[in-house]
Amino acid sequence: EGTVSEYDVLKIAPGQKVTLSTDTAPGAAWQGEVITISYLPVDPTESGDFSGNATTVSYSVVVEVLDTNVPLKPGFNMIMEIVTNEFTANTLPISAVIHEEDKNYVYIVNDQGITEKKEVSVGTASFEMIEIKSGLDPEEQVIIDPPDDIREGMEVTIQ
């Protein structure tokens, strides 16, 4: 059982997929599914605001863990990632995109092994990936983690 804010409660429904993880077991994750969402908000002291002055309202969410082999003990703190929207997108690691002067760029390597700076339009991002809406062709080779001193026109070797 966990809580979600009033901003997120309208985005979830029973049956949605959930990924559970914990700092206690780095790299481990388990699958679950939303079972119920409370109709009424939880008491502020139950949602972690011990001051009694809640700034946001929280709602209780019950998740069923679908994996049978969870080597944790009752009471462990878990992180619930509830999938609220899924779509197919062209993405790159977030480290590949450089933000300068309100524009987003990536460096590509052309057929001659020379770097080119290309402006891209970005969309949704996660902690690791970012959606590329336009500005790149699928066959272009993007420099995933460009060094700080990279410049357009540099000769590079593809590894």
Side-chain angles (χ1 to χ4, degrees):
E1 186 175 339
T3 58
V4 295
S5 74
E6 63 187 319
Y7 301 104
D8 292 329
V9 74
L10 296 177
K11 298 176 188 174
I12 61 174
Q16 281 179 287
K17 293 187 273 183
V18 179
T19 300
L20 299 154
S21 61
T22 180
D23 292 337
T24 308
W30 303 273
Q31 297 307 305
E33 182 178 288
V34 174
I35 300 300
T36 61
I37 304 142
S38 65
Y39 182 73
L40 297 173
V42 296
D43 182 0
T45 56
E46 293 177 30
S47 64
D49 183 356
F50 298 106
S51 67
N53 298 320
T55 56
T56 61
V57 176
S58 295
Y59 292 81
S60 176
V61 176
V62 176
V63 171
E64 177 183 7
V65 180
L66 302 175
D67 293 325
T68 57
N69 185 20
V70 180
L72 304 176
K73 302 216 180 270
F76 276 32
N77 288 318
M78 303 291 290
I79 299 164
M80 292 191 309
E81 294 179 52
I82 303 172
V83 178
T84 58
N85 189 11
E86 285 184 302
F87 59 94
T88 302
N90 294 319
T91 61
L92 285 173
I94 205 158
S95 63
V97 179
I98 299 165
H99 185 79
E100 294 176 348
E101 300 175 12
D102 294 331
K103 294 184 180 181
N104 295 292
Y105 300 94
V106 296
Y107 281 95
I108 66 161
V109 180
N110 66 21
D111 295 337
Q112 293 79 37
I114 306 295
T115 60
E116 293 179 21
K117 187 177 182 179
K118 293 194 77 176
E119 184 176 349
V120 294
S121 173
V122 298
T124 304
S126 68
F127 292 114
E128 299 171 358
M129 304 298 283
I130 189 163
E131 176 186 9
I132 305 298
K133 289 185 167 188
S134 64
L136 280 179
D137 293 323
E139 67 275 356
E140 291 181 306
Q141 296 187 17
V142 177
I143 299 174
I144 299 299
D145 197 12
D148 292 337
D149 61 348
I150 194 167
R151 299 288 175 255
E152 194 165 24
M154 294 176 81
E155 189 173 327
V156 295
T157 304
I158 299 173
Q159 295 182 349

